[in-house]
Amino acid sequence: GDDSMQHRVGYWMSEHLPERSWLKVPNTDLRLIGMSVDKYYYDKTLLALVGLLSPLVLGLFAQALGFLPFYIPGLLGLPIAFWLWLSVDQDLRKKADDARAEFTRAVAVYLEMVAAERKRGATAARALETAAAVGRSWVFLRIRQELTRARYAGVAPWDALHSLSQEIDVPDLADVAKIVRLSGEEGASIYETLRSRGRTLRHKLLAEEHEKANSASERMQMPLATTLFVYVGIIITPLMLNLLSV
């Protein structure tokens, strides 16, 4: 089936690709969005093959119709295949950045929830679990799964969250783990610490959103300027040609 083909292609590629920094598998991003290494390599290989073979097929058609030799369009296959191979990484980076931002926003909410549970008198471990059970998004589901695994494995829940934060590169989750560890291991009062960390994180996220909105509007100005330049060129070129031909 498709899965076994994915596995065969993925396994072969991971075994035979040379060790190069630009060929490095982005494991952190893959773990975050839940994509397997096999699927990652399968997508790259499939797209590269499409890029390699499509110009060749077009070239054969062109030759059959007597336009030009097949190898001229065929030569485009290599750069197109290379570009499509790299496009998988760009797409993955974009998805991972979006998922990481969403995860961080959910962590800001989670901090507040854990603080509320602690105020109600729940133990540190119980506060982490109860707060995670409230949210319905994929982020809270991921935290719940991690905490459940930790409970069955006999691992402290704050250690499990710290490991998850490193696995998927969401440092703000490690902060939650660090603060709650103080309470769990030393009995420290953490309600205010959690609340203020949640506030700080929300302010940081708001500032980042503003920055992103500003840079997006700046990027919009460039295409507008280019479009204007093209329009001016379209209007002026015939006038200049008329003047030159007089």
Side-chain angles (χ1 to χ4, degrees):
D2 201 30
D3 280 356
S4 62
M5 173 65 85
Q6 244 181 57
H7 177 67
R8 281 202 298 274
V9 171
Y11 181 75
W12 193 93
M13 294 300 279
S14 55
E15 287 294 303
H16 292 85
L17 275 181
E19 287 286 320
R20 296 283 183 278
S21 60
W22 61 276
L23 286 172
K24 218 175 163 76
V25 179
N27 284 309
T28 309
D29 288 350
L30 289 175
R31 277 194 294 264
L32 176 62
I33 67 165
M35 184 192 276
S36 69
V37 175
D38 286 351
K39 172 90 169 80
Y40 168 74
Y41 273 134
Y42 182 71
D43 287 356
K44 281 174 90 77
T45 308
L46 199 64
L47 276 176
L49 281 172
V50 167
L52 190 66
L53 298 175
S54 301
L56 203 60
V57 172
L58 282 171
L60 288 169
F61 271 117
Q63 184 168 300
L65 295 168
F67 287 144
L68 71 170
F70 79 93
Y71 60 83
I72 293 177
L75 288 172
L76 288 170
L78 279 172
I80 292 172
F82 184 66
W83 176 69
L84 286 173
W85 171 276
L86 293 179
S87 74
V88 173
D89 295 279
Q90 288 173 326
D91 185 50
L92 176 64
R93 205 173 301 121
K94 170 84 174 71
K95 281 180 183 164
D97 285 347
D98 290 347
R100 204 163 273 121
E102 195 181 334
F103 209 111
T104 308
R105 280 195 295 273
V107 166
V109 176
Y110 186 50
L111 275 158
E112 302 275 352
M113 289 175 168
V114 175
E117 288 303 319
R118 282 298 283 147
K119 199 174 186 187
R120 285 197 197 102
T123 63
R126 190 86 191 114
L128 286 175
E129 288 188 11
T130 313
V134 176
R136 288 284 161 264
S137 73
W138 67 273
V139 175
F140 282 91
L141 175 65
R142 191 76 177 266
I143 292 171
R144 277 201 299 279
Q145 286 170 341
E146 209 56 41
L147 292 172
T148 305
R149 257 200 297 271
R151 191 167 66 243
Y152 287 120
V155 174
W158 39 87
D159 289 338
L161 291 188
H162 191 271
S163 299
L164 177 63
S165 81
Q166 288 181 320
E167 272 175 35
I168 61 175
D169 188 23
V170 179
D172 294 293
L173 184 62
D175 285 353
V176 182
K178 215 177 293 173
I179 296 166
V180 179
R181 178 187 277 127
L182 283 172
S183 178
E185 292 178 355
E186 297 168 28
S189 174
I190 55 165
Y191 172 71
E192 282 306 327
T193 317
L194 284 167
R195 287 296 307 275
S196 74
R197 184 71 192 90
R199 269 197 303 274
T200 309
L201 184 52
R202 273 203 316 279
H203 290 153
K204 188 184 99 173
L205 289 168
L206 269 172
E208 280 174 11
E209 288 294 322
H210 281 306
E211 206 176 298
K212 225 178 275 178
N214 289 339
S215 67
S217 63
E218 278 169 24
R219 277 200 304 273
M220 281 290 287
Q221 285 164 7
M222 277 301 290
L224 282 171
T226 312
T227 309
L228 190 64
F229 186 72
V230 170
Y231 276 127
V232 170
I234 290 166
I235 295 161
I236 286 175
T237 306
L239 293 174
M240 291 298 288
L241 288 171
N242 280 340
L243 283 170
L244 289 169
S245 64
V246 170

